[in-house]
Amino acid sequence: MTGTPPEGTPEPGHNTGIRGHNVVNSVVYQDSIHYDVSPDSPPSKKYEVGVSYLREGCPSLARKLIADARANGYDGGQVRFHMMLALLSKRSYRDLDDEERQQLAALPQATHKLPADEWTRALVAVSAVLACYEDPSLDPVSARRKLHGVAAEQRQEITKHLDLVLTASLRESLWAETRQNAEVSRLAGGRLDRVWAYFHPIPAKPRARLVSPSTVSARDRVRAALGTLVAVGMLGYLGRTILSSGQALPILAYVLLVALGVVAARTGLEWRHLAGRLAAKQRAFSRFGARAYYDEPGFARSVDHEVRYYFGKFVPHGIEREAWLRESAGFQAALRNELVDIYRETRTEASRVHWLIRFHARDARKRWKHGTLFDYREQYRVRPVTQMSCVLSCVAVLAGSLYVGSVAVRIEILPNAAAAVLAFAGAWAAVSGWGHILCERRRISDQERERERIFAARKDEYRRWSQKLDNTRPSEEEMEDWLSYDRIMVLDKALSHYKLAWRDVLAYAFLQTPGDHSKRARVRNGPWRYSKYDLRLFLITVDGVRECMAELDFERVRFGDEARTNYRFDAVSSVHVEITDELRHALELTLMNGQPRQIRVIDDQVGVGEGEDPKKMADLNLDNAGFKHTLHILEGIAAEGKGWIDRDPDIRAQRRAGVPGGA
């Protein structure tokens, strides 16, 4: 099973879109209404969005929204259960302030008035678990039994959100199930085949180059009109002279002259139009001198690179790649020039038109296979019959003109000679003028039809590709669930490596930060999600801190390099948080006799969209990264060393529950 489709994924080492310090692509789904809620929204809507934030790794906003919904009368076992999870998700008991502890204690009150459903039973089970923290005399077996008794859906939510609160014995009893579920579920839902769509750039809407305006000027029209008047007038004058002579042969010659003149004009116009269109097509698709070089990085250079990449990728069967690239060089240049012309002025990211390049590269391969890639050569080829008709009619017209002119001059030399000269000059101006006007009309008509055909094909492909992305793109909840399963696998590996049981772990914290050269994407008002993460796990035991770092390729579900560091409590010299312009957050951890290590928590470019609050977005991303809980633990250790164990309320609760650490 592999991550597909590679067509939509930039080739290795190829960066697209916004280039930040760490980000090589950036997508915001501005049209998403997933997190849309306003102060005037009904309580049910606030609760619904709050649960979405909770399930998708942002409990701080979930707490506010669910609390707001409850304050407006929206209450029940399910609402209280999710409020309880929101209060404790990604936090330990120590992270709650007094108000939140009181709020937590009030949730299980009067549960007998709530419907006796799975949500209420889950609420009671979580309350029993928390009670063990407060009162060590309570039997943890009873809490464990209640926890195992809730339905699988609610139990999974409990283990997902309360992993930092559960006692060691409860974690131990649930760990095998949690680990097995994570191992199976981290690849469920077609993750390998779908995550790429989440980070795929939003396709730019299709466009097609506008038809060049007519080059016919007012002077051309005046020339054609005057030439026509003069030619018709003088030919009429000569015709009257010929008719008045009463000679049959000159009259017949005059009639043939007019008829063949019409034939010559029609075939000549056809010849000129086809030859002009063929020359224009050959210039546009010429492979000689078509290659352009762009020294400066930017839209044009990126488009040029992608055109060559996709034409080199979609090679027709039966032709070598290099030969195909030579044959299609003109089409590549024409496509590149068109895309640069129609998209560059609007600052469109090059990655958003890759779908269009890919479509035309595949279309060129298909047309080559069917022998229609160069069909314009046949379409605009001047037929021999047209050429022959034009040449013969022109020769006949010339001969007929000389004969008719000589007859007319013999009848009356001066006025007829002048009429013949003016007729010739007028005809020349009329043919030249009308030829240009009519050829331009036909060119515009041809190009309009061609543009409509291309634009319709692009719109069809745009709809198809957008629909595929929408159908493939994972939901926010799926993205968060897969990441939580990855964290569980990292945690399990660390426990196995250090041969630790849950009773040996006093506390732990995860800090997930963007990996190097990762792509990122998010929905409006949602947290950034990255294609690569650096997952840092801090395991706190009585012997000190065990820090494990694992590189996660989230898109391909692979773990890369790993690093482990162990240090005593008193080795933590300082913990410093660097905040610049309220958005960029970096954690600096300094150990005794060691260089400070700076961990970038929020990317340099927060990328706030229209209508979004920068401070709220920063808090949202910190919340999702697990920053506050990690900082709380590290700051406590840095300030108090091993004494932090004796002072930490959660560890004291763990001891009361039977954890032997530090006793």
Side-chain angles (χ1 to χ4, degrees):
M1 200 174 185
T2 58
T4 56
E7 295 175 10
T9 306
E11 61 182 318
H14 173 66
N15 299 339
T16 60
I18 297 174
R19 294 168 185 264
H21 176 72
N22 188 53
V23 177
V24 294
N25 198 10
S26 187
V27 180
V28 180
Y29 299 103
Q30 289 285 3
D31 294 336
S32 172
I33 58 171
H34 185 67
Y35 292 124
D36 273 8
V37 65
S38 68
D40 300 328
S41 298
S44 59
K45 177 65 177 177
K46 293 178 180 177
Y47 166 73
E48 178 187 328
V49 177
V51 171
S52 294
Y53 272 121
L54 172 65
R55 290 174 172 166
E56 291 146 21
C58 307
S60 60
L61 278 178
R63 288 194 290 275
K64 294 177 183 175
L65 289 171
I66 298 176
D68 196 353
R70 292 191 69 223
N72 286 281
Y74 196 77
D75 199 5
Q78 186 174 359
V79 178
R80 294 190 193 187
F81 172 72
H82 283 129
M83 185 64 202
M84 186 170 280
L85 297 189
L87 283 166
L88 296 169
S89 182
K90 293 193 175 185
R91 314 166 92 190
S92 65
Y93 210 65
R94 77 175 70 83
D95 297 325
L96 275 65
D97 56 30
D98 291 341
E99 183 180 347
E100 290 172 328
R101 290 175 188 243
Q102 292 174 8
Q103 197 175 2
L104 190 66
L107 287 172
Q109 293 178 0
T111 51
H112 63 280
K113 297 181 180 177
L114 299 174
D117 55 14
E118 292 297 336
W119 299 107
T120 303
R121 276 190 283 276
L123 175 67
V124 172
V126 175
S127 302
V129 171
L130 297 177
C132 293
Y133 268 83
E134 298 294 330
D135 187 354
S137 64
L138 294 177
D139 182 12
V141 176
S142 174
R144 190 184 313 154
R145 191 177 298 116
K146 289 181 179 177
L147 194 57
H148 283 280
V150 302
E153 178 187 355
Q154 285 76 19
R155 190 167 66 251
Q156 285 184 4
E157 288 198 63
I158 292 170
T159 54
K160 175 182 175 181
H161 295 290
L162 272 58
D163 56 337
L164 299 175
V165 177
L166 296 178
T167 64
S169 60
L170 284 173
R171 285 179 191 154
E172 202 78 62
S173 66
L174 294 170
W175 184 243
E177 179 187 349
T178 302
R179 188 206 173 284
Q180 184 179 10
N181 180 57
E183 188 170 16
V184 173
S185 300
R186 67 193 294 251
L187 292 174
R191 174 180 177 179
L192 278 169
D193 297 324
R194 296 176 58 209
V195 170
W196 63 269
Y198 190 87
F199 300 104
H200 192 283
I202 300 171
K205 291 186 177 179
R207 299 178 188 175
R209 193 202 296 270
L210 296 175
V211 174
S212 302
S214 173
T215 61
V216 175
S217 63
R219 182 179 178 181
D220 295 327
R221 293 189 177 89
V222 170
R223 185 183 61 179
L226 289 178
T228 302
L229 288 175
V230 171
V232 170
M234 294 302 103
L235 283 174
Y237 180 81
L238 291 173
R240 190 185 65 176
T241 301
I242 295 299
L243 289 173
S244 63
S245 68
Q247 302 177 45
L249 186 59
I251 294 174
L252 178 61
Y254 180 83
V255 173
L256 289 175
L257 171 66
V258 174
L260 290 174
V262 173
V263 173
R266 288 177 61 87
T267 53
L269 180 66
E270 180 74 6
W271 191 341
R272 178 175 175 173
H273 167 69
L274 293 175
R277 294 292 297 137
L278 181 61
K281 286 287 184 182
Q282 287 177 332
R283 283 196 301 274
F285 297 136
S286 172
R287 66 183 183 184
F288 301 105
R291 185 77 179 89
Y293 295 92
Y294 300 94
D295 296 329
E296 297 296 327
F299 182 84
R301 183 173 172 181
S302 178
V303 168
D304 182 57
H305 180 280
E306 291 305 316
V307 168
R308 285 186 291 117
Y309 167 71
Y310 281 113
F311 271 79
K313 179 175 180 149
F314 298 110
V315 179
H317 180 69
I319 184 172
E320 295 293 330
R321 182 176 182 275
E322 292 304 318
W324 166 245
L325 289 178
R326 284 196 302 274
E327 285 292 315
S328 62
F331 292 90
Q332 296 176 45
L335 177 61
R336 177 201 61 215
N337 295 339
E338 181 187 3
L339 296 183
V340 170
D341 285 347
I342 62 179
Y343 282 105
R344 183 166 58 180
E345 78 282 1
T346 57
R347 298 183 180 276
T348 303
E349 296 167 23
S351 57
R352 297 185 59 196
V353 300
H354 287 179
W355 69 272
L356 194 52
I357 299 172
R358 189 169 57 250
F359 166 66
H360 280 284
R362 285 203 307 261
D363 182 62
R365 180 179 65 177
K366 178 180 176 183
R367 289 165 60 195
W368 170 271
K369 179 181 177 182
H370 295 126
T372 58
L373 183 61
F374 298 100
D375 57 355
Y376 68 88
R377 294 174 180 171
E378 180 62 23
Q379 179 183 356
Y380 295 114
R381 182 174 66 87
V382 183
R383 303 294 186 274
V385 64
T386 303
Q387 295 175 333
M388 186 65 71
S389 299
C390 182
V391 171
L392 292 178
S393 59
C394 285
V395 170
V397 166
L398 180 61
S401 299
L402 292 175
Y403 175 72
V404 170
S406 64
V407 172
V409 168
R410 283 199 298 271
I411 296 173
E412 191 174 9
I413 185 167
L414 196 57
N416 287 329
V421 171
L422 288 174
F424 178 79
W428 183 268
V431 168
S432 174
W434 283 114
H436 182 51
I437 293 170
L438 296 177
C439 283
E440 275 296 278
R441 287 180 182 174
R442 291 190 63 179
R443 174 189 68 80
I444 292 173
S445 177
D446 277 3
Q447 290 186 337
E448 286 286 0
R449 286 196 300 272
E450 184 178 4
R451 180 182 183 277
E452 289 173 3
R453 177 182 59 78
I454 293 174
F455 191 44
R458 290 178 179 178
K459 286 196 291 187
D460 289 343
E461 174 64 11
Y462 174 78
R463 283 192 289 267
R464 185 197 70 80
W465 185 244
S466 297
Q467 188 66 43
K468 179 172 182 176
L469 289 176
D470 291 342
N471 293 337
T472 307
R473 188 178 300 119
S475 67
E476 290 293 299
E477 187 173 355
E478 286 177 308
M479 295 290 283
E480 181 62 25
D481 284 347
W482 285 328
L483 184 57
S484 70
Y485 298 141
D486 292 332
R487 287 196 298 262
I488 290 173
M489 299 312 295
V490 172
L491 180 55
D492 181 71
K493 191 171 185 178
L495 292 173
S496 299
H497 176 80
Y498 291 116
K499 302 186 185 311
L500 295 173
W502 275 112
R503 61 181 176 278
D504 303 319
V505 179
L506 300 177
Y508 75 96
F510 261 112
L511 185 63
Q512 63 195 40
T513 55
D516 288 338
H517 305 293
S518 59
K519 294 174 285 187
R520 70 177 185 178
R522 66 177 177 85
V523 299
R524 192 157 58 93
N525 288 317
W528 283 112
R529 304 193 183 278
Y530 297 88
S531 63
K532 296 177 182 176
Y533 285 98
D534 289 339
L535 298 180
R536 280 183 172 78
L537 169 64
F538 297 91
L539 277 175
I540 315 300
T541 67
V542 291
D543 299 322
V545 180
R546 301 171 194 269
E547 180 184 347
C548 306
M549 198 283 284
E551 293 180 353
L552 169 65
D553 187 335
F554 182 81
E555 192 172 359
R556 294 175 175 81
V557 201
R558 294 177 192 160
F559 285 111
D561 293 341
E562 298 179 3
R564 299 184 187 88
T565 307
N566 306 323
Y567 38 88
R568 303 185 311 277
F569 291 108
D570 55 5
V572 180
S573 173
S574 67
V575 175
H576 172 69
V577 178
E578 181 182 311
I579 303 174
T580 58
D581 62 18
E582 294 187 348
L583 301 180
R584 182 181 184 274
H585 284 63
L587 180 68
E588 189 175 273
L589 178 63
T590 306
L591 301 179
M592 291 290 186
N593 302 322
Q595 293 293 325
R597 287 188 294 130
Q598 193 172 72
I599 304 169
R600 187 178 59 258
V601 182
I602 296 184
D603 198 72
D604 296 352
Q605 297 181 347
V606 174
V608 178
E610 185 179 354
E612 293 178 326
D613 180 1
K615 181 66 168 57
K616 174 185 170 183
M617 296 306 299
D619 289 342
L620 190 68
N621 285 284
L622 289 173
D623 197 23
N624 187 255
F627 174 73
K628 293 179 181 177
H629 175 64
T630 304
L631 180 64
H632 197 165
I633 289 181
L634 294 179
E635 281 184 332
I637 294 174
E640 303 181 47
K642 194 170 184 176
W644 172 77
I645 295 178
D646 298 323
R647 296 173 60 85
D648 186 82
D650 280 7
I651 295 179
R652 290 204 303 269
Q654 294 276 12
R655 290 173 177 170
R656 290 197 300 269
V659 176

